[in-house]
Amino acid sequence: MGVDFGLPHFDGELEELGLLAQTAGLDPVARLTCKRKAPDAALFVGSGKADEIRMLAQLHGAKEVLFDQALSPAQQRNLERQLEMPVNDRTLLILEIFAQRARSHEGKLQVELAKLRYLSTRLVRRWSHLERQRGGIGTRGGPGETQIELDRRMINEAIKRTRERLDKVKRQRSTQRRQRERRDTFNISLVGYTNAGKSTLFNALVKARAYAADQLFATLDTTTRQLYLSEAGQSVSLSDTVGFIRDLPHGLVDAFQATLQEAVDADLLLHVVDASNPGFPEQIAQVQKVLAEIGASDVPQLLVFNKVDAIAPESRAAEVQDSYELDGVAVPRIFVSARSGEGLGRLRAQLAATCLAAREGEGMTPGDAAELESRDG
């Protein structure tokens, strides 16, 4: 279910929500959209549309309803009563996918923290059993403590424990970064919208076997490898990070600070874009938004327009290397196919030129490196 409030990123076909649902192991059976000027305070969509959703769900035998926007706890509770079935929003769906995909100890802790924070906002009178009082001698809650107060206290304690464990992991990762800095390693981080092909490009560049698949959020845990650039005569550190997505829950952005710190501390960001996706400008904007949130907006970028093999020859750009305006600044852009290997040699040459520029003159941007490369060539 999607509601158009007149915002530019509204997905009229609910394609991304459908992909998210499939990634989470669900089977979408019907899609419905409507237009509103503002969300209904009680039901988000209004009582008439809620009745339409219920009839459509019953017609198709749906087991739950997914909303493409974030719902407040009260709206979620009211909708479940109105529709007589579970109702979940985009935020929980992304959290569930992250929970399924996390593999490392750090990744699991990050997802656990985000889910606990999300759950803590859903306790306000959502379940009737939480209204029962517990108390008296021999009970855990203490005299007069309600079940909802007990649950909230337990969740807050779990959040505190998880945050402490995550801080420890964060300190360990910070130590690893300092070791790389002492070795004067040039650090490059891959960033981009989910399913843009970051992990496939990472594997192609460093001959690694990091998990890569044509699905959303295939990679959650940061993987770092050394990439030798013969043109520069040196190795660089290349990190593959978690993909971004529209309306990425703030809890996840906060929880994944330890992982996303790789992007903040990078000397260069390889911003990977799915060139075959007609909505790539909006995806680029969403990535830029998250980079600004984590404090990485000032890190130099090189745009890598991936999946050119999926574009018809007549629709391809005339030049394989040019520039693209990003937040009012011309940023170097290279067209590649991580799957077929097309353009990877040129990408390596650009990375080498950037490293040489950083070595010869501190503060040079990728654009300066491209100019240096053209003069030398």
Side-chain angles (χ1 to χ4, degrees):
M1 178 66 204
V3 184
D4 182 5
F5 295 113
L7 300 175
H9 62 249
F10 176 69
D11 183 2
E13 302 297 325
L14 298 180
E15 291 184 5
E16 192 169 82
L17 182 66
L19 288 173
L20 286 169
Q22 291 171 355
T23 302
L26 304 176
D27 182 22
V29 295
R31 304 179 185 189
L32 185 66
T33 62
C34 69
K35 288 187 176 182
R36 288 185 64 90
K37 292 183 178 179
D40 180 77
L43 294 169
F44 194 74
V45 293
S47 58
K49 184 58 67 173
D51 290 337
E52 184 180 347
I53 295 172
R54 185 176 69 248
M55 290 187 291
L56 185 64
Q58 292 172 349
L59 176 65
H60 290 276
K63 302 299 182 182
E64 68 177 282
V65 176
L66 295 175
F67 275 75
D68 197 30
Q69 290 94 352
L71 300 173
S72 72
Q75 290 167 337
Q76 185 176 8
R77 182 189 69 247
N78 294 337
L79 281 167
E80 287 182 340
R81 290 175 177 172
Q82 184 88 358
L83 305 182
E84 299 178 345
M85 67 178 61
V87 175
N88 289 310
D89 60 10
R90 181 185 180 92
T91 301
L92 182 63
L93 189 57
I94 294 175
L95 286 171
E96 288 296 332
I97 295 171
F98 272 54
Q100 294 174 13
R101 295 288 166 80
R103 293 292 180 267
S104 71
H105 177 59
E106 179 185 11
K108 291 176 181 178
L109 285 175
Q110 290 166 332
V111 175
E112 180 183 349
L113 179 59
K115 289 193 70 174
L116 284 170
R117 285 173 171 169
Y118 178 85
L119 180 60
S120 67
T121 67
R122 306 284 134 172
L123 286 176
V124 185
R125 292 184 172 274
R126 183 177 177 193
W127 300 285
S128 59
H129 79 276
L130 295 181
E131 298 172 1
R132 294 198 300 269
Q133 290 231 338
R134 297 179 61 180
I137 299 174
T139 58
R140 294 178 58 193
E145 185 174 31
T146 63
Q147 180 66 43
I148 189 172
E149 290 169 343
L150 176 63
D151 285 4
R152 182 180 288 113
R153 180 161 56 83
M154 292 176 64
I155 286 180
N156 287 337
E157 290 173 354
I159 288 175
K160 182 181 178 181
R161 288 194 305 270
T162 305
R163 188 185 292 116
E164 289 173 350
R165 294 163 65 190
L166 193 55
D167 286 343
K168 182 178 179 180
V169 175
K170 189 174 182 180
R171 288 194 297 271
Q172 292 172 346
R173 185 176 289 276
S174 178
T175 301
Q176 295 170 355
R177 280 195 297 269
R178 285 197 299 270
Q179 290 174 347
R180 291 202 300 266
E181 290 171 359
R182 282 198 295 267
R183 293 195 297 264
D184 293 327
T185 303
F186 190 85
N187 300 309
I188 303 173
S189 283
L190 290 164
V191 298
Y193 207 78
T194 183
N195 207 30
K198 297 189 311 305
S199 295
T200 304
L201 179 61
F202 178 81
N203 289 337
L205 287 173
V206 300
K207 304 297 188 292
R209 295 183 178 179
Y211 181 70
D214 185 17
Q215 56 188 203
L216 304 184
F217 300 119
T219 301
L220 292 186
D221 301 308
T222 297
T223 304
T224 302
R225 295 288 186 274
Q226 292 298 304
L227 169 63
Y228 182 71
L229 299 172
S230 57
E231 297 92 338
Q234 72 176 83
S235 292
V236 298
S237 176
L238 185 66
S239 298
D240 184 19
T241 61
V242 62
F244 303 153
I245 196 168
R246 173 174 61 84
D247 298 332
L248 186 68
H250 287 290
L252 277 178
V253 175
D254 293 340
F256 273 76
Q257 278 290 350
T259 298
L260 297 175
Q261 191 66 32
E262 295 288 343
V264 179
D265 295 335
D267 297 298
L268 176 68
L269 297 179
L270 284 191
H271 184 162
V272 184
V273 179
D274 181 357
S276 67
N277 190 318
F280 75 80
E282 173 63 23
Q283 294 184 349
I284 290 176
Q286 292 297 323
V287 173
Q288 292 299 106
K289 179 181 177 182
V290 177
L291 289 175
E293 286 183 25
I294 65 175
S297 56
D298 293 332
V299 180
Q301 293 188 37
L302 171 60
L303 284 169
V304 181
F305 272 51
N306 189 28
K307 303 186 182 182
V308 294
D309 55 316
I311 303 176
E314 62 273 11
S315 300
R316 293 191 182 189
E319 301 291 335
V320 294
Q321 185 170 355
D322 57 13
S323 62
Y324 183 90
E325 188 170 303
L326 200 60
D327 298 331
V329 178
V331 176
R333 171 173 63 170
I334 296 179
F335 290 89
V336 307
S337 169
R339 187 176 298 275
S340 69
E342 180 182 348
L344 292 187
R346 187 173 290 103
L347 175 59
R348 284 175 172 270
Q350 176 66 59
L351 293 178
T354 305
C355 290
L356 288 172
R359 186 191 303 169
E360 295 173 6
E362 192 172 338
M364 273 194 173
T365 67
D368 299 326
E371 184 178 348
L372 176 65
E373 181 189 20
S374 64
R375 290 204 309 266
D376 293 342

